[in-house]
Amino acid sequence: METAISIKGVSKRFGRIQALDTVGFDVPLRSIFGLVGPNGAGKTTLFSVMANFLKADGGQVEVLGIDTRRIGELRGRLTIFPQDAQFQRNVPILDQLAFFRRLDGRTRQQAEQEVIETLQLVGLEAMAKRRVGTLSHGMIKRLGIAQAFLGHPEVILLDEPTAGLDPANARQLRDLVKRLQERATIMVSSHNLAEVQELCDHLAILHQGKLIRADAMDKITQSGREYDLVLSRPLQEREVKQLRRLAGVRDIQAVAANGAGTAGELAGYRVTFDFSADHADPDVIRGALFRSLLDAGISPRQFGEGRSLEARFLEMTGGVQAGGIADQEGTS
């Protein structure tokens, strides 16, 4: 798989705080890559090093094969949308964004045409001549995204792009990011784990400045290998043994309503599959499982494929919630 971003043993310290500790992973080309971790994990610090806002103490970052310490060579190819992007409140949108394009050598006519096309992309073309101070919070977020998309960059870094948005505006931004995957590699930092799981196809998890895991999303959540089943009645011991004997079924575990163990009210069952080369494909195994349940007079009322990213996140970080206590400045 081709690589758009290669992060190689990056370390950064702020006084006694080790914000990043030899972090390294690759971001596949044309992926939507999530970066998650508790506050203080080092997400914003890593983004800042990637954009050359901060100098790493060790290691390096390559974007499109270019060391970001030579950031000038990535001009127009790499853009970043910081969490708190600021604009001049009393300057019209068209003038502000056109100014950025003219800095890249465009004529005024070329710059304004590019801005109009980008505003159409984010649904703000009708606002082109309005002053930024008249826009809602959601519109300003979309304006920040528009700025990051100017010039058709090949790699885009988005830091908390939907933070503070209502569900409708957040959905619009997610849909926009998905459409842009066709032309760019997009890396998203967020505390919203459900959103990251829906949006991203790859993921890196940071905790206390260290990389916990970087992989494809379906491998992290075990999509296609684990199913949460809600059945019409509890399983008897003999039925559990019978199902465990099915080819490909590795384990069946009762899950309580609180999501763990067997204490408390039963919510369903977690079925874990082992799809080795000797077994049939996932659909065949799942079909056999469902037929066995139906033969035993048990109706699967619903199932969810894989575990939630939140469940995996909590397992990997030792139960630390995403978000939580505010972290030291510069280390989020």
Side-chain angles (χ1 to χ4, degrees):
M1 186 177 296
E2 293 184 80
T3 298
I5 303 170
S6 185
I7 299 167
K8 303 177 179 180
V10 171
S11 295
K12 181 65 181 177
R13 177 180 289 274
F14 296 97
R16 293 179 297 175
I17 299 173
Q18 187 72 49
L20 295 171
D21 189 354
T22 59
V23 171
F25 57 88
D26 290 337
V27 176
L29 191 69
R30 293 289 191 275
S31 63
I32 301 180
F33 195 102
L35 182 65
V36 302
N39 282 336
K43 301 185 301 298
T44 298
T45 301
L46 182 58
F47 262 29
S48 297
V49 170
M50 293 170 65
N52 205 42
F53 297 157
L54 287 175
K55 302 293 184 183
D57 299 330
Q60 67 182 86
V61 178
E62 291 182 356
V63 174
L64 303 173
I66 298 170
D67 191 322
T68 56
R69 290 173 292 191
R70 306 194 309 273
I71 197 68
E73 298 178 27
L74 288 165
R75 186 174 181 179
R77 303 181 71 188
L78 167 67
T79 60
I80 183 169
F81 168 58
Q83 182 177 352
D84 299 312
Q86 299 294 316
F87 296 92
Q88 296 293 323
R89 293 180 58 81
N90 295 318
V91 178
I93 291 171
L94 180 61
D95 293 347
Q96 288 197 58
L97 297 190
F99 174 75
F100 296 130
R101 299 309 296 141
R102 296 195 69 185
L103 288 176
D104 278 342
R106 302 295 193 273
T107 66
R108 182 178 184 84
Q109 183 178 4
Q110 289 172 333
E112 290 186 352
Q113 180 61 35
E114 286 188 24
V115 170
I116 292 298
E117 291 174 358
T118 305
L119 291 177
Q120 289 174 342
L121 192 65
V122 299
L124 290 177
E125 65 273 18
M127 309 292 178
K129 296 186 178 180
R130 285 180 55 174
R131 300 178 188 275
V132 175
T134 67
L135 301 183
S136 67
H137 177 65
M139 289 179 178
I140 291 175
K141 280 281 189 178
R142 279 192 277 165
L143 180 59
I145 297 290
Q147 181 181 340
F149 293 162
L150 276 175
H152 303 288
E154 298 166 62
V155 175
I156 303 169
L157 309 180
L158 303 177
D159 191 8
E160 298 284 354
T162 63
L165 293 184
D166 61 67
N169 276 302
R171 166 60 63 185
Q172 289 176 357
L173 277 183
R174 288 196 297 273
D175 291 344
L176 174 61
V177 170
K178 289 178 181 178
R179 293 200 303 271
L180 289 168
Q181 185 180 11
E182 298 177 0
R183 71 184 203 194
T185 302
I186 303 171
M187 193 167 179
V188 181
S189 171
S190 179
H191 279 126
N192 188 331
L193 299 181
E195 177 177 86
V196 169
Q197 184 169 1
E198 175 191 347
L199 182 62
C200 300
D201 46 51
H202 288 74
L203 180 75
I205 300 174
L206 298 181
H207 182 42
Q208 296 179 345
K210 296 179 180 291
L211 177 69
I212 301 299
R213 185 172 177 185
D215 214 330
M217 182 67 74
D218 61 354
K219 291 184 178 179
I220 290 177
T221 61
Q222 292 291 290
S223 177
R225 290 179 176 269
E226 292 188 1
Y227 293 87
D228 284 342
L229 298 172
V230 177
L231 307 180
S232 58
R233 63 170 174 80
L235 293 172
Q236 298 176 16
E237 185 176 352
R238 62 176 179 81
E239 292 170 334
V240 172
K241 290 180 179 179
Q242 176 186 349
L243 293 176
R244 281 180 173 159
R245 287 196 294 268
L246 288 175
V249 174
R250 190 178 72 198
D251 190 28
I252 300 175
Q253 179 184 10
V255 178
N258 62 10
T262 57
E265 182 182 353
L266 185 66
Y269 297 85
R270 178 159 298 125
V271 182
T272 305
F273 297 100
D274 179 12
F275 297 129
S276 67
D278 297 331
H279 292 141
D281 64 55
D283 289 338
V284 171
I285 295 173
R286 187 176 65 178
L289 172 69
F290 275 44
R291 284 194 300 274
S292 294
L293 289 170
L294 293 173
D295 289 345
I298 306 167
S299 175
R301 290 191 284 120
Q302 66 183 60
F303 74 94
E305 184 175 348
R307 302 285 300 283
S308 72
L309 176 57
E310 181 178 14
R312 290 297 189 202
F313 179 91
L314 293 174
E315 290 171 6
M316 294 180 197
T317 59
V320 178
Q321 294 283 350
I325 300 174
D327 47 281
Q328 297 289 332
E329 184 176 0
T331 64
S332 65

